[in-house]
Amino acid sequence: MTGASTVFVVDDDPSVRSSLKFLLSTVGLQVESFDSADAFLHKKSPDAPGCLVLDVRLPGLSGLDFQRELAARNTRIPIIFLTGHGDIPMSVRAMKAGAVEFLTKPFRDQDLLDAVRIALERDRARREQDKDVMILQQRFDSLTSREQEVISMVVSGMLNKQIADEAGK
């Protein structure tokens, strides 16, 4: 876990936010905490890898509704849910929507730390993949329209002979 990564904690209980901040800081992570989903939404999206530790029960927008709202805004950040009032359908819903983990309180510290490590690795990998895609898109955009046409035939699996025949038309 690197110092450049940030864990965002959203929980309406100040003592839980404080405890989580302390726990995560003991392994060298930066932590920012928020008392509501709305407060987090007003924050600028991070440019570095991060994850969200999110309480299911929040005033206003619930954790599960917040997860759906983030997806609608195309804010792709790995989420770890915490709850003292969870059930199986709730955890299934969260996991199907892409949550990394669904932990019930009280949870073992190591379980949370492991989930955060996995979430940060996923976010790092996603960011690296997005960067690679952007570079490829820029390279593709720099090609002439004819070159783009040919490369499209190459990646579709056409043989050189077929491409030459098609390009000769």
Side-chain angles (χ1 to χ4, degrees):
M1 294 188 217
T2 69
S5 302
T6 303
V7 179
F8 302 97
V9 175
V10 180
D11 197 302
D12 60 327
D13 184 335
S15 63
V16 170
R17 287 194 312 269
S18 177
S19 296
L20 291 173
K21 189 169 187 167
F22 174 75
L23 172 64
L24 295 165
S25 68
T26 63
V27 293
L29 291 168
Q30 292 177 306
V31 181
E32 290 185 38
S33 61
F34 304 88
D35 61 358
S36 69
D38 192 49
F40 178 82
L41 286 174
H42 285 91
K43 185 207 179 326
K44 182 183 173 289
S45 293
D47 290 333
C51 70
L52 185 59
V53 176
L54 181 60
D55 190 11
V56 171
R57 285 192 176 178
L58 293 169
L61 202 58
S62 76
L64 293 171
D65 290 338
F66 183 46
Q67 180 185 34
R68 190 172 34 253
E69 176 66 23
L70 289 172
R73 292 178 180 221
N74 200 27
T75 301
R76 300 180 303 162
I77 185 168
I79 299 173
I80 300 160
F81 279 102
L82 300 179
T83 187
H85 309 281
D87 56 24
I88 292 172
M90 188 184 295
S91 66
V92 169
R93 182 176 158 201
M95 298 302 282
K96 278 187 173 182
V100 172
E101 187 63 82
F102 193 94
L103 299 172
T104 55
K105 298 173 186 173
F107 54 85
R108 289 181 339 119
D109 291 352
Q110 193 59 51
D111 289 342
L112 177 62
L113 294 173
D114 290 345
V116 165
R117 181 186 50 77
I118 290 166
L120 292 174
E121 286 173 6
R122 281 187 191 175
D123 199 41
R124 252 185 233 101
R126 178 195 56 84
R127 287 171 181 276
E128 191 62 38
Q129 183 179 20
D130 287 352
K131 180 181 165 191
D132 291 346
V133 168
M134 184 184 72
I135 290 169
L136 287 173
Q137 185 64 51
Q138 288 171 342
R139 289 179 181 167
F140 183 78
D141 292 343
S142 72
L143 299 173
T144 66
S145 59
R146 184 73 170 155
E147 289 169 331
Q148 288 179 359
E149 184 181 332
V150 170
I151 198 71
S152 295
M153 289 186 268
V154 170
V155 294
S156 73
M158 292 177 73
L159 300 172
N160 287 348
K161 192 180 210 180
Q162 294 170 309
I163 295 169
D165 186 46
E166 189 70 28
K169 292 181 180 178

